[in-house]
């Protein structure tokens, strides 16, 4: 069973607030990813990291930022939340070896009022 | 560029029957991997099955099997003996080059409903 955790699971917040979505994994994976998913829709990559101090933007443009100071931790931050940021955010990690399977967290559902 | 196409937005199947979820892909990479994930209404993504482009046999995992037709660029998921708990969104995904650090590209998903 994968050991990747996201908090909070659900967050309802007002416009203009700063939020940080936490993601931690205990598998020692170098590669970590953030996907954004609207309800019933496909996943879009917004950020990824190949290791400590490495972060890249994904295919979908996002106003969020990420950091990777420790291998196990990959938080996502929105400096000023807007209703257009309402979505589910899924964190994943991969060892990059074998099949390259992604292990996903349970997701963070963000609602911005 | 890679692309995954799932043409069935929704599917219904009777409990205990088999169902096939379609997936076609497009890539110029000579070596790639194909995945199927299940997403229940709770939101988490659950890995189901993997097929490497050079694997000689179709992958199987319990009630799940992957019907891989390389020439047609299709990687359909077959679920045998459907159960009510199989009702979920199913995503096909592809990653280029085994061991590549590149992320997965996902299809738009198929919502499967199993009827009692």
């Amino acid at each position: 069973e994968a050991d990747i955790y996201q908090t909070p699971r659900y967050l309802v917040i007002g416009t203009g607030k700063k939020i940080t979505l936490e993601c931690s994994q205990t598998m020692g994976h170098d590669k970590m990813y953030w996907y954004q998913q609207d309800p019933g829709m496909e996943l879009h990559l917004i950020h990824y990291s190949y290791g400590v101090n490495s972060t890249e933007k994904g295919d979908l443009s996002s106003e969020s930022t990420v950091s990777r100071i420790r291998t196990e931790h990959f938080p996502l931050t929105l400096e000023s939340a807007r209703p257009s940021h309402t979505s589910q955010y899924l964190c994943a990690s991969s060892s990059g070896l074998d099949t390259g399977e992604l292990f996903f967290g349970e997701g963070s559902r963000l609602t911005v009022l | 560029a890679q692309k995954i196409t799932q043409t069935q937005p929704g599917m219904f199947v009777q409990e205990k029957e088999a169902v096939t979820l379609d997936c076609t892909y497009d890539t110029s990479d000579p070596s790639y991997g194909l995945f199927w994930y299940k997403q229940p209404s709770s939101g988490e993504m659950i890995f189901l099955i993997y097929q490497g482009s050079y694997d000689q046999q179709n992958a199987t995992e319990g009630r799940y099997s992957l019907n891989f037709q390389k020439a047609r660029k299709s990687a359909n998921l077959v679920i045998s003996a459907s159960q009510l708990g199989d009702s979920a969104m199913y995503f096909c995904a592809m990653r280029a080059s085994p061991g590549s650090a590149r992320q997965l590209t996902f299809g738009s998903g198929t919502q499967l409903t199993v009827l009692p």
Side-chain angles (χ1 to χ4, degrees):
Chain A
E1 190 166 315
D3 295 312
I4 179 164
Y5 308 100
Q6 289 186 242
T7 57
R9 288 290 314 278
Y10 302 93
L11 179 63
V12 181
I13 201 165
T15 296
K17 299 292 186 183
K18 177 180 179 179
I19 65 121
T20 297
L21 304 180
E22 302 287 350
C23 177
S24 295
Q25 51 97 4
T26 60
M27 296 171 283
H29 287 169
D30 286 329
K31 297 166 183 62
M32 296 189 74
Y33 309 86
W34 276 103
Y35 285 86
Q36 184 175 342
Q37 183 190 27
D38 291 331
M41 304 296 284
E42 64 199 277
L43 283 72
H44 293 284
L45 182 74
I46 51 174
H47 298 284
Y48 61 99
S49 167
Y50 291 164
V52 171
N53 294 326
S54 154
T55 61
E56 301 286 344
K57 290 190 177 296
D59 303 322
L60 181 68
S61 175
S62 174
E63 294 168 342
S64 59
T65 59
V66 293
S67 62
R68 189 91 183 275
I69 299 172
R70 303 197 315 266
T71 298
E72 62 270 23
H73 196 213
F74 192 40
L76 180 145
T77 298
L78 274 166
E79 290 293 334
S80 180
R82 294 206 301 269
S84 60
H85 296 139
T86 295
S87 191
Q88 169 156 262
Y89 294 84
L90 288 156
C91 180
S93 73
S94 169
S95 67
L97 302 174
D98 300 325
T99 68
E101 174 193 347
L102 292 188
F103 295 89
F104 282 88
E106 292 183 303
S108 293
R109 295 196 183 195
L110 173 65
T111 302
V112 184
L113 303 175
Chain B
Q2 301 174 93
K3 185 175 173 63
I4 293 281
T5 301
Q6 294 181 254
T7 57
Q8 306 154 313
M11 288 280 287
F12 292 87
V13 65
Q14 207 68 38
E15 193 178 9
K16 300 180 185 177
E17 299 288 315
V19 63
T20 298
L21 306 183
D22 294 342
C23 172
T24 58
Y25 61 90
D26 189 24
T27 181
S28 57
D29 290 308
S31 180
Y32 49 88
L34 296 156
F35 300 77
W36 277 92
Y37 281 84
K38 171 185 178 181
Q39 187 178 43
S41 57
S42 50
E44 73 269 30
M45 294 285 282
I46 302 167
F47 166 74
L48 295 178
I49 197 167
Y50 167 82
Q51 178 84 44
S53 59
Y54 289 117
D55 292 344
Q56 295 296 316
Q57 293 187 317
N58 287 344
T60 60
E61 289 286 348
R63 294 186 299 112
Y64 304 108
S65 61
L66 201 152
N67 184 2
F68 181 47
Q69 298 186 47
K70 195 170 182 178
R72 298 179 62 183
K73 294 190 174 180
S74 74
N76 299 340
L77 177 70
V78 180
I79 305 175
S80 63
S82 297
Q83 302 172 355
L84 295 178
D86 292 336
S87 293
M89 195 77 162
Y90 288 80
F91 289 95
C92 181
M94 178 168 64
R95 186 217 64 242
S97 303
S100 168
R102 290 175 60 183
Q103 73 285 356
L104 300 187
T105 299
F106 287 84
S108 55
T110 295
Q111 179 68 50
L112 176 66
T113 302
V114 180
L115 303 171

